[in-house]
Structure formats: structure tokens, C-alpha cells
Amino acid sequence: MTLRTLGALSVEGVTFRREKVLLLLAYLCLEGPQPRRRLAELFWPDATNPMNSLAQHLVHLRGLPGALAEDGQRVAAAMPCDAATLRDLVRRGRHEDAAALYAGPFMDALTIPLGADLEEWVFDTRDAVAQDARAALMTLGAQAAAHGHGPRAGELAARALTLDGAPPPDELDLPRLHHLLSLAGHPLAAQVERDARSLGLNLTAAPTPISAPFAGREAELAALNTLTPGQTAWISGHAGMGKTALLEALARSGGWTVLAGRAEPPYATLSPLTAAPPTHPQAAHAALRDPHLRVAIDSWDAADPATQAALTHAAAARPGAVIVITSRHHPPFDVDLHLNLGPLPPGDLRAHPEVHARTDGHPVLVGHALRGQPLDLRLGARVRAYPDPVRDTFLLLALQDQPNLRATRAALNQDAATFARTLAYLTTEGLTSETGRVYAAATTREHLNQIHVHAALLHLRLARALPEDTAWPHYDRSRDLWEDPDETRAAHAARHHAHTHLKRGYPGQAAALLDTLSHLPTLAVPHAWALIGVGRYQDALTRLNTLSAHDQQVSDALAARAVTLIRLGRTDEAVTLAEQISGSGPDAAHAASVRAHAARIREQWDAARRHAQIAADLWNLHGDDEAHLTELGMVARAQVGLGSEPQVAFKEVLRRSQDLPSVHGMILVNYASLLGQSGDMPGARAALASALEPLAAAGDQQGLAHVHSNIGVSCHLSGELAQAAAHYRQALQLLKGSGNVRLLGATLSNLSEIDGDLSAFGDALTLLEQAGQVDLVQQIRHNARMVSAS
């Protein structure tokens, strides 16, 4: 429940009309806990027994749930009140919410007689609440003007001027109201001008709106516009962080004089404030004594020493004027408000979400984007003018999303002190963050890539300095400049990068990367693993055959060949190779897995369970949780073959794999297959549906493709052909670019039995033909013709 006092008097949600009881509650809400005697004397000054009158009214308040909090001789309100909430919102800078809450004058509907003191309190509170609401409206109007929205500024100023219950605007409000109303060409501007003349105030016409786009900084503008006479604010920030733009917006909001810092002569910066240029400290101090003056100095760093001394004195002496100063540095003296500007947060650009994505919120770049100008217009020109070491530092940092400062320094061949100075310079110039991250680096990279040779040289310098596990993208972009020593290190970097793709569940990307390096023998085994991952088993075998006779007998090559052969159905050959692998390393784990798959194919379930468990234990020994749990899934499959119910066999591995979404999802797929084979089609469908969320969370496109393909098969077998076709198409969409020829072919074959139109899948059929799946392509085309004929 809320006590409503603005425009009407009531308690939200209940019917209660005792005015004096509600007035007592409002007083407690606004003034805080009160002694009982103080309340009795204020509300019933002429009563024979004021304390008794108070007691009777408190009885009524106790009937309102949550209205009172009593502590001995003190009474407090425990219910929110709209007037108190409005005042609190203004204090916290939530001006829009405060303005929306004002529904009329405070306690305007009272009909009961009041004592003199209580009546004075009602009238004073009415004025204070209305003035807070007016201040909120004027702040919103100033913000609208700052952002170039003149009509909106005028509308808010008119509401503030004519606010019901508010006293006439004073000599501080009139100039600001006149500015906002004149900016919009509002007819009430003439009335404000007449009122100002009657008070002896001289009003200036509204300035011409500045056309430069300005976004965000609402909190900063509101804070600056609420400064009171005698206060000083300081705005700091690196170059390009929008200090000058903020002052220009402040000027548009009304009532501010903005002065540019000037280096000479003495007091040159302050000279526009006086009839004649100040020549001594007293004259400069006198210029800052006017309490109606709101002056902003842009910037402290450019101002002459005499002006700096006068501003320092003013900050301490508080002569009257409101003073705002900008600088690249923090204030050298105490100030009332310090705003340190950085990039604009996404919330400040919520009306232009694409702009933040392109600019990282860098104010200069935001301005360019809003004007439709190239983002490189100013920053690029500045960078090109820097000395070569500074420019190259900037460009090397821009090539990295998360800069490695140590590698960058090594690529530049700079000592630590020189690199630190260069980085600090780029930061103060507003080009990089403190961590070296370049603002809107993608734009810089886009322009740099147009200078191919220079970009490739920078990438190569960076690739040589970065650790091998992060160097490949830069080696990839500098291939034309590789020298002989680069080949070996680039191969190692490519191996790391491909392994990362495989671990993330993207074997297609790993295969595509290593396809381009098929001439390097050192990458034959990782290339084969990537090809196995996408179902290109014959290609994997061909790649392994490029190894020398000696290298083919190395255990990692034997493991890859054994896995390839088991996938090709050449079970005996695969087992023979697996038996040549000894030890307890990853290759031995692969060998045990091969033996488990061979036993599964032969339906030798006890051997399948035993070998899968050995593989699982070996992967566990090496800390590979994903491979460990994947093999435990095979153990569960073998247990079902031995007679266990799928629900029992898979219960523990499903529980243990929950924190590994991709593995958990694929185990659910295998579990669903066994449920389907046992005749539990609803359970199979439910398991497949459950697999969608973890696989999506893992970003496992192929896993999702498996799920949709299996759901398609389930629908297909149940005669739900339309649903089956939809799931098959979803699987094919997910398989785009994956390189998984095996699953692509199986899914397309199933779809061809339902839908005779294969015109949309020409690329997929070509891919299958290129992968040697000619018989499968012929079968798919035959199925499609059969459907079309029917």
C-alpha cells in the first residue's frame, strides 16, 4: 500500500477517507519518527487533552496494515508516501520517475481546519514538493536541449513553468526556463521575459542549436545542472572522451557560459567575463563572484597560469559562481564534483545499439557514426602523423582483440620503459584503454587490410612473438611473407589452433584449416583427426599414408589409423593396429576405444564393456573429462547389450556428464537410440528433446544436427512425414560448413525418401560426390525420383 498525497488523498488499495488521520500519516512519512507529545501539540493545539486525541487517531492508523511503527514514546510511518518518494527520486537523480509521480499539489484536497503551525507545514511542503517536481522537469528539459531536441525541451519547460501548486519561478529558474522555451520557439517565452524584466533580470536569447550529434551522458548532465552557487566541478578524461562535447551540450541546456582555455596573455581565459581584460588577481576574483554565473572552462591544461591560480582560489573561497573545469588530468585541488569520462556504456547508446558495437562507445567515433562519417576520419589521420614506433605499436595492438602486451613489446623490439611510455601516450591520446585494447579495433583492421603487404608484415611480427597456442591467426594472415624458419613454428601454431577447434566441437573448422597445410608432414596426424571428426575417413587414411614408413609406426599415427579403419568398417585391420599400441598414454586410450567399438560391432558386449572401461580409465588418468565420460557412455551401451535396462545403465553417466554440455547431449542421443530400439518411443523422443538445451549451450552444431536427424528418423518411422522433413532440413542447415560428410549423406538420404525436390541441396550433393560418396548420391537421386514420380 502507498499513501497518495499528490492531487488526491487516499491509501492505495483501501477505502479510507479520514483526512486528519491521513494527514498525520503523511507528516510521519515526510518528517520521520516523532515524539508522541510533539505530534499531539502540533495537530491538536486547542484540544483539552491532545494526547487522547492523538491516541484515538493512532487507533485508526493501526487498522491500516503496515502503516505504523511504534517504539515507546516515538511513532514512525512504515508505509511509502508518493511525496516522500518523489523527493527521494530527485535526490537520487531519477528525474523522469519523479516528474511522472507528480499528480497535483500536495494535500490540495484537504477540507478540514488546521492550526496555524500545521497549516504552515502543509503550505511549505506543498511548495517544496512542487519545486522538486519543477526541478526534475527542468533537468529533463535541459537534457533534451543538450541532445538537440528543442521541441521536447520547450514542452518540458512549459510544464515546469505552469506546474500546478508550484510557486512563481525565482531569479535562478527564470533564465533557464527562458532559454529552453526560446530554443523551441514556445509562446510562453514572452511571459517569462516579462516576469524577468519585472525582477530586473536581463535575459539573453537562446543560442543557435549546435548540429553535432550528442548521445548519452544523461547522468553527467544532470549532475552538472544541479550544482549550486559556489560549487566547483572537474571533468577529467583522456583525449577524445567527450569533455568538450559535454560542455557544448551543457551550453545548449541553458544558463551556461563556456570559455576556451587560452595560454596568453594572463587571465586571457576569463576575459570574456569582464568589460575589460583582468590584469590582477582581484579583478579575476571579482569576475567569479556573481552567484547567477555558471561558467565552464575548456580546458585547464590550455589555460594560462594566472587563470589557473584564480580558479584554484575560487574553488577554495567559493565566491559565488558555479565553475566547471575540464582537463586530461585529475583535479589538483578539492572540488565538489569530479566526473572522470571514459567510453560511453551500451546503456547510453540504447537508441543506437549498432553504434556501440562499431565504436566500443568511444565518444569521437560515436559522433562520426551518428553523422554517417567514416570512423577513421580523425583517429586515422592522427595515427598516420605519429612516429613509426608509436604508429606500429598502435597497429599491433589493433590486430589483437585481447592484446598480449609482452608479445607486442617483443614484436616491436622495445625495452620495457620505452614500451610503457608509448602505451601511456596512446592511452592519454584516447586511442587505447589502460590494458592496451584499441577502441573500435575492427575498423582499424579493416583499413589496415587494404594495405596488404604492410598488414601482413605486422601480422608476421606479432605471430613470431606470440605463444604458439595463439599465434596461428597471425601466421595465417602473413603466409606470403613466411621465411623457412617460420614454417616449423607456424605448423606448431596451426596444430594448437586445430586442436582448439576439435575440443570446441568444430572438426570442420579444424579440417578446413589443416587442408590448407596438407604439404606439411608434421601435421598429418592432427589433420587426420580433424578429418575423422567430420566423417572424411578415406581422406584421413590418405593423409596418414603420406607419412614415411617409419612415422606410420609411431603410436599417434597408429592410433589415428586404427580409429579411421574402425570407422570405415575394417574392423580386423583396426584391431590389429590397436594391439600394436602399448603404454598408458592417450594413444593407448584410443586403442582401447577401437577394441571396444570392434567388440560392439561384433556384439561381444562383455569385451566391449571391458575395453571401453579401460579407455575411460586412461582418459581419466590424463585429466580429459570429455573423453573419459564419452567412453563411459560406451560402457553404458555395452551394459544394455548385456541385458541391463537403458534407464539403469545410463543413469550414472548422465548424472556425471551434466557439467559438460556437449558430452551430455551426445550421451542423451545414444541413450535415446537405445530407448527407441527397446520400443520406448515416447522416452526416446523425450531424451532427444532434452539433448537440445545442453548441445545449444555448448554451441555444438554437429551434436544438434545429430539430435534433429534422430528426431527426424523417429517421426519418419511413425509416419509423421512433414515433421520428419522439417527436422531433416534443420539438421542439414546445422551441418553447413561442418564437413561431416557421413551425417550429411545419411540425413539427405532420409529426406530424399520424403521430399523429391533436391534443388536446394545441390552443393551438398556435390560435396558428397567429391568425398567419394558416389553410390550414396545415386541412391539419394533415385529416392527423389521415386517420390517425384509418385
Side-chain angles (χ1 to χ4, degrees):
M1 292 189 294
T2 298
L3 175 62
R4 301 293 181 189
T5 63
L6 302 175
L9 182 58
S10 64
V11 175
E12 190 178 65
V14 299
T15 302
F16 191 92
R17 293 290 182 265
R18 292 179 176 271
E19 291 186 354
K20 195 140 188 181
V21 174
L22 295 181
L23 176 59
L24 174 61
L25 181 58
Y27 186 87
L28 292 170
C29 287
L30 288 158
E31 300 298 331
Q34 298 291 319
R36 293 174 185 265
R37 184 160 298 280
R38 161 69 178 148
L39 292 173
E41 292 173 351
L42 177 64
F43 276 77
W44 295 276
D46 300 323
T48 304
N49 190 342
M51 293 295 289
N52 184 57
S53 298
L54 172 64
Q56 292 177 19
H57 283 70
L58 291 178
V59 168
H60 292 296
L61 279 179
R62 292 188 193 104
L64 292 174
L68 280 184
E70 299 179 78
D71 182 13
Q73 291 303 308
R74 297 181 68 81
V75 183
M79 179 184 290
C81 167
D82 56 359
T85 300
L86 185 150
R87 305 201 72 180
D88 181 62
L89 288 170
V90 171
R91 282 191 292 271
R92 291 191 286 130
R94 294 175 54 184
H95 304 291
E96 191 165 353
D97 292 338
L101 196 55
Y102 190 78
F106 175 74
M107 291 288 181
D108 195 37
L110 277 180
T111 60
I112 57 175
L114 304 176
D117 290 344
L118 189 56
E119 185 176 56
E120 182 179 356
W121 176 82
V122 170
F123 288 150
D124 288 347
T125 303
R126 183 176 297 164
D127 285 352
V129 173
Q131 284 178 321
D132 278 346
R134 172 179 282 162
L137 288 166
M138 290 175 62
T139 299
L140 293 172
Q143 290 176 345
H147 290 81
H149 306 311
R152 176 62 176 162
E155 174 194 336
L156 290 162
R159 285 175 56 191
L161 176 65
T162 59
L163 191 67
D164 193 14
D170 59 22
E171 57 187 9
L172 293 177
D173 287 342
L174 283 171
R176 296 177 64 194
L177 287 167
H178 180 258
H179 174 93
L180 298 174
L181 293 166
S182 299
L183 195 66
H186 199 285
L188 285 176
Q191 174 188 323
V192 172
E193 191 170 353
R194 289 193 299 271
D195 293 342
R197 279 201 303 269
S198 68
L199 295 175
L201 295 177
N202 294 319
L203 301 178
T204 56
T208 303
I210 299 172
S211 59
F214 183 79
R217 304 292 193 212
E218 280 85 359
E220 290 86 350
L221 283 166
L224 293 171
N225 270 314
T226 53
L227 291 169
T228 58
Q231 290 188 314
T232 300
W234 190 278
I235 304 172
S236 62
H238 298 311
M241 289 299 115
K243 300 182 294 296
T244 299
L246 181 59
L247 293 192
E248 291 174 349
L250 199 62
R252 289 198 295 277
S253 72
W256 287 89
T257 300
V258 178
L259 305 177
R262 295 168 56 189
E264 56 183 24
Y267 303 111
T269 303
L270 299 176
S271 61
L273 300 180
T274 59
T279 57
H280 52 84
Q282 291 78 9
H285 299 162
L288 299 171
R289 285 185 187 140
D290 183 359
H292 299 103
L293 176 65
R294 297 155 71 86
V295 62
I297 311 297
D298 186 31
S299 73
W300 172 271
D301 310 281
D304 62 275
T307 294
Q308 291 180 347
L311 294 171
T312 302
H313 176 271
R318 299 177 176 270
V322 176
I323 301 171
V324 174
I325 304 167
T326 70
S327 171
R328 290 192 181 187
H329 307 97
H330 283 217
F333 47 78
D334 291 339
V335 296
D336 299 287
L337 174 67
H338 179 205
L339 302 175
N340 186 35
L341 302 188
L344 293 164
D348 275 5
L349 294 171
R350 52 187 172 273
H352 312 279
E354 76 291 347
V355 169
H356 193 276
R358 292 175 55 206
T359 65
D360 288 336
H362 190 291
V364 169
L365 300 179
V366 168
H368 288 331
L370 293 178
R371 285 190 290 270
Q373 296 172 331
L375 298 189
D376 191 46
L377 187 64
R378 277 177 60 183
L379 297 190
R382 284 167 55 195
V383 171
R384 287 188 288 273
Y386 291 152
D388 289 351
V390 177
R391 184 187 65 242
D392 285 350
T393 301
F394 172 79
L395 294 176
L396 284 173
L397 292 170
L399 292 178
Q400 306 169 72
D401 288 324
Q402 298 297 330
N404 182 322
L405 298 184
R406 183 175 182 178
T408 304
R409 181 175 72 81
L412 292 162
N413 196 26
Q414 289 184 359
D415 61 76
T418 301
F419 181 68
R421 285 195 299 271
T422 304
L423 186 58
Y425 177 74
L426 291 172
T427 301
T428 57
E429 286 292 294
L431 297 172
T432 66
S433 69
E434 302 286 350
T435 61
R437 185 172 181 273
V438 170
Y439 297 115
T443 299
T444 300
R445 290 197 287 267
E446 180 182 332
H447 287 276
L448 184 58
N449 288 337
Q450 296 173 11
I451 314 170
H452 175 73
V453 176
H454 186 57
L457 181 59
L458 289 171
H459 277 295
L460 184 59
R461 289 169 66 181
L462 200 53
R464 288 169 172 171
L466 284 166
E468 287 183 352
D469 59 350
T470 57
W472 172 251
H474 302 285
Y475 273 123
D476 188 30
R477 290 171 175 82
S478 59
R479 292 188 190 219
D480 294 342
L481 301 182
W482 286 2
E483 297 176 353
D484 290 343
D486 292 313
E487 289 243 343
T488 300
R489 194 168 187 277
H492 292 160
R495 180 196 295 265
H496 279 291
H497 204 66
H499 181 69
T500 300
H501 285 317
L502 288 171
K503 292 294 287 182
R504 291 176 54 240
Y506 293 99
Q509 294 181 21
L513 186 164
L514 296 176
D515 281 347
T516 66
L517 299 169
S518 58
H519 62 287
L520 297 178
T522 56
L523 294 178
V525 174
H527 193 184
W529 285 119
L531 294 169
I532 291 168
V534 296
R536 292 167 56 186
Y537 306 127
Q538 192 59 53
D539 288 344
L541 199 58
T542 301
R543 184 70 167 104
L544 290 169
N545 287 338
T546 63
L547 291 168
S548 67
H550 174 270
D551 288 344
Q552 287 188 31
Q553 297 305 308
V554 176
S555 63
D556 64 344
L558 286 173
R561 184 181 292 274
V563 171
T564 302
L565 291 172
I566 198 72
R567 298 293 176 87
L568 286 170
R570 293 160 63 175
T571 308
D572 293 340
E573 295 175 73
V575 172
T576 300
L577 289 177
E579 289 174 347
Q580 298 177 35
I581 299 172
S582 59
S584 58
D587 300 328
H590 282 301
S593 183
V594 166
R595 289 193 284 269
H597 278 279
R600 176 186 61 80
I601 291 170
R602 296 162 178 164
E603 296 191 357
Q604 298 169 347
W605 296 113
D606 187 59
R609 182 199 57 76
R610 180 164 50 86
H611 289 302
Q613 186 64 59
I614 292 171
D617 292 341
L618 288 172
W619 286 123
N620 190 40
L621 179 66
H622 290 279
D624 192 327
D625 291 340
E626 294 189 27
H628 169 62
L629 287 166
T630 298
E631 292 299 334
L632 288 181
M634 172 61 80
V635 171
R637 172 68 184 90
Q639 288 172 336
V640 174
L642 290 169
S644 179
E645 291 295 327
Q647 296 88 337
V648 176
F650 277 84
K651 179 179 180 180
E652 181 63 14
V653 71
L654 285 171
R655 183 191 67 79
R656 292 179 61 182
S657 64
Q658 285 180 341
D659 293 334
L660 294 169
S662 183
V663 174
H664 186 67
M666 289 310 299
I667 291 175
L668 278 168
V669 172
N670 293 327
Y671 174 53
S673 175
L674 291 172
L675 288 175
Q677 291 176 23
S678 68
D680 184 5
M681 295 307 297
R685 290 274 189 98
L688 288 170
S690 298
L692 289 171
E693 183 177 347
L695 290 169
D700 190 339
Q701 300 288 94
Q702 290 200 70
L704 289 169
H706 273 285
V707 172
H708 283 288
S709 183
N710 277 274
I711 295 176
V713 170
S714 175
C715 294
H716 201 156
L717 294 174
S718 301
E720 304 168 59
L721 300 186
Q723 295 91 323
H727 283 289
Y728 289 147
R729 289 193 180 91
Q730 182 67 30
L732 292 172
Q733 184 69 26
L734 289 163
L735 287 168
K736 280 186 178 178
S738 73
N740 193 332
V741 175
R742 182 185 179 196
L743 183 58
L744 176 72
T747 305
L748 193 53
S749 177
N750 290 336
L751 179 62
S752 68
E753 294 182 10
I754 300 173
D755 187 352
D757 182 10
L758 297 178
S759 59
F761 305 111
D763 291 342
L765 292 172
T766 301
L767 178 62
L768 290 171
E769 289 174 335
Q770 291 173 345
Q773 303 288 336
V774 177
D775 292 343
L776 177 59
V777 171
Q778 290 177 347
Q779 179 63 43
I780 292 170
R781 294 190 187 279
H782 173 74
N783 291 344
R785 284 194 294 271
M786 293 290 290
V787 172
S788 298
S790 62

